[in-house]
């Protein structure tokens, strides 16, 4: 039997996240967006009430929530403000490789750190010349005795300016393409330069920085998994985290959709609320379908992950559909508002700007299509 009923605990979590989003995020979101304010106060509150690091297992001090619960929370936080939501959720991306491949000591030390205090970690994969083409990265890690020496630059790093540790991918065999990449946990230290805080179109309250490694020495025990197996680790990480991004896209779309519905009932044109016009009704109807279908794909990908079923296809389908839908729904929400939608006094223009990154980060919509096509045409044996 198929059952979409949430447990009482999941319902409570969703309600808690919704209240937090309403009271702690929406009240500051538009102000923080304007100046690109670092939302450290909201991050700390989220940590205190248990809305951060929800993915961490209980043995490392985390709440050990299931992936669907994590998605319920991410949808609500993105409904509140996806910029602040991204800052709150980014530890999940940085710690997934550690959870997947880290030694027991590494897990205790670095996952424990996130559970003990409101600390941040960043996932360092992308480089200026290696975005979609992960295997084209140039950052090098050279083994010297019982250490690796890292050199290279990573860009578009979420929370990069404030992270206490980084998950860094580097070439250990530069001639081996995707089979020559290794992942490391790297403490913040001298030799790491953090600069170029990006001035972004949307999600302006999140921090996006360039992180450069200049002869940074990393103990060999900080290697995550095996040498030259970092590419697979990155792909497995993205399989785990893309459902959460899809959930965030659903939250953005829902926020814009709800605003458009309310506005369509108030705004009068031709003597009636615009909701009475079929042209608006059809927009609203398509928005409703996209929000609900995004959530269903998100839940499916999270459920598969939780059940130990390979979710590469479902998580790329969810991310692709929810991200593209968020862009469409938020654009249509601006359309429902007409000229007012284009003005910052109204909420939908922020939703539209915020939605754009959903089609870009953690793999563009085109990369998701590549993954989907590969999984359909040439499924990997897992
Ligand atoms: N899980 C485990 N292993 C996987 C995997 C997955 N989901 N996907 C691929 N692999 C393995 C393959 O099986 C293959 O293994 P072998 O070396 O044993 O043959 C290896 O990884 C290489 O796979 P593939 O040939 O498909 O890699 P490509 O170079 O063609 O790259 C894409 C595939 C484009 C999908 C990948 O580079 C990608 O996802 N890019 C986007 C990255 C991204 O999301 N960046 C955003 C930054 S993170 S915020």
């Amino acid at each position: 039997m198929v059952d979409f009923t949430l447990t009482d605990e999941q319902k409570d979590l969703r309600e808690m996240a919704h209240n937090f989003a309403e009271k702690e995020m929406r009240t500051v979101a538009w102000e923080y967006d304007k100046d690109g304010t670092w939302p450290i106060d909201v991050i700390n509150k989220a940590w205190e009430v248990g809305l951060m690091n929800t993915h961490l297992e209980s043995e490392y001090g985390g709440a050990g929530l299931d992936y669907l619960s994590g998605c319920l929370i991410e949808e609500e936080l993105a409904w509140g403000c996806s910029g602040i939501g991204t800052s709150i959720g980014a530890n999940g991306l940085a710690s997934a490789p550690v959870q997947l491949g880290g030694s027991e000591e590494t897990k205790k030390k670095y996952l424990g750190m996130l559970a003990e205090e409101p600390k941040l970690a960043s996932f360092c994969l992308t480089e200026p010349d290696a975005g979609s083409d992960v295997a084209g990265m140039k950052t090098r890690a050279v083994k010297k005795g019982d250490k690796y020496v890292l050199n290279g630059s990573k860009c578009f790093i979420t929370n990069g300016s404030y992270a206490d540790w980084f998950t860094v991918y580097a070439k250990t065999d530069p001639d081996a393409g995707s089979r020559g990449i290794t992942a490391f946990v790297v403490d913040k230290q001298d030799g790491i330069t953090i600069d170029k805080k990006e001035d972004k179109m949307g999600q302006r309250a999140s921090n996006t920085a360039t992180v450069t490694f200049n002869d940074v020495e990393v103990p060999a025990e900080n290697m995550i998994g095996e040498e030259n197996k970092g590419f697979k680790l990155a792909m497995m990480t993205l399989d785990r985290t893309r459902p959460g991004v899809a959930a965030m896209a659903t939250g953005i779309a829902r926020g814009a959709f709800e605003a458009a519905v309310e506005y369509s009932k108030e705004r009068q044109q031709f003597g009636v609320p615009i909701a009475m016009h079929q042209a608006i009704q059809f927009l609203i109807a398509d928005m409703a379908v996209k929000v609900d279908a995004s959530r269903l794909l998100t839940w499916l990908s999270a459920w598969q992950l939780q059940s130990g079923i390979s979710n590469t296809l479902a998580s790329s389908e969810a991310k692709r559909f929810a991200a593209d839908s968020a862009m469409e729904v938020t654009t249509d929400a601006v359309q429902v508002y007409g000229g007012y939608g284009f003005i910052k006094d109204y909420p939908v223009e922020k939703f539209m700007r915020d939605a754009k990154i959903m089609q870009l980060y953690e793999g563009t919509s085109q990369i998701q299509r590549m993954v989907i096509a590969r999984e359909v045409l040439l499924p990997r044996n897992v």
Side-chain angles (χ1 to χ4, degrees), residues 2-3 47 87 110 126 149 163 180 226 242 255 262 265 321 373:
V2 175
D3 187 353
W47 185 86
S87 310
Y110 291 97
T126 300
V149 180
E226 292 174 51
R242 283 176 181 153
E262 283 315 302
K265 291 185 203 163
F321 186 81

Side-chain angles (χ1 to χ4, degrees), residues 123 126 131-132 134 178-179 231-232 235-236 238-239 242 312 362-363 367 370-371 374 380:
F123 182 78
T126 300
S132 296
V134 173
S178 65
R179 294 180 180 174
F231 184 89
K232 280 191 189 185
M235 294 303 117
M236 288 163 72
L238 295 169
D239 286 348
R242 283 176 181 153
T312 305
E362 293 207 28
I367 286 292
M370 279 174 66
V371 174
R374 186 193 63 198
R380 277 176 312 109

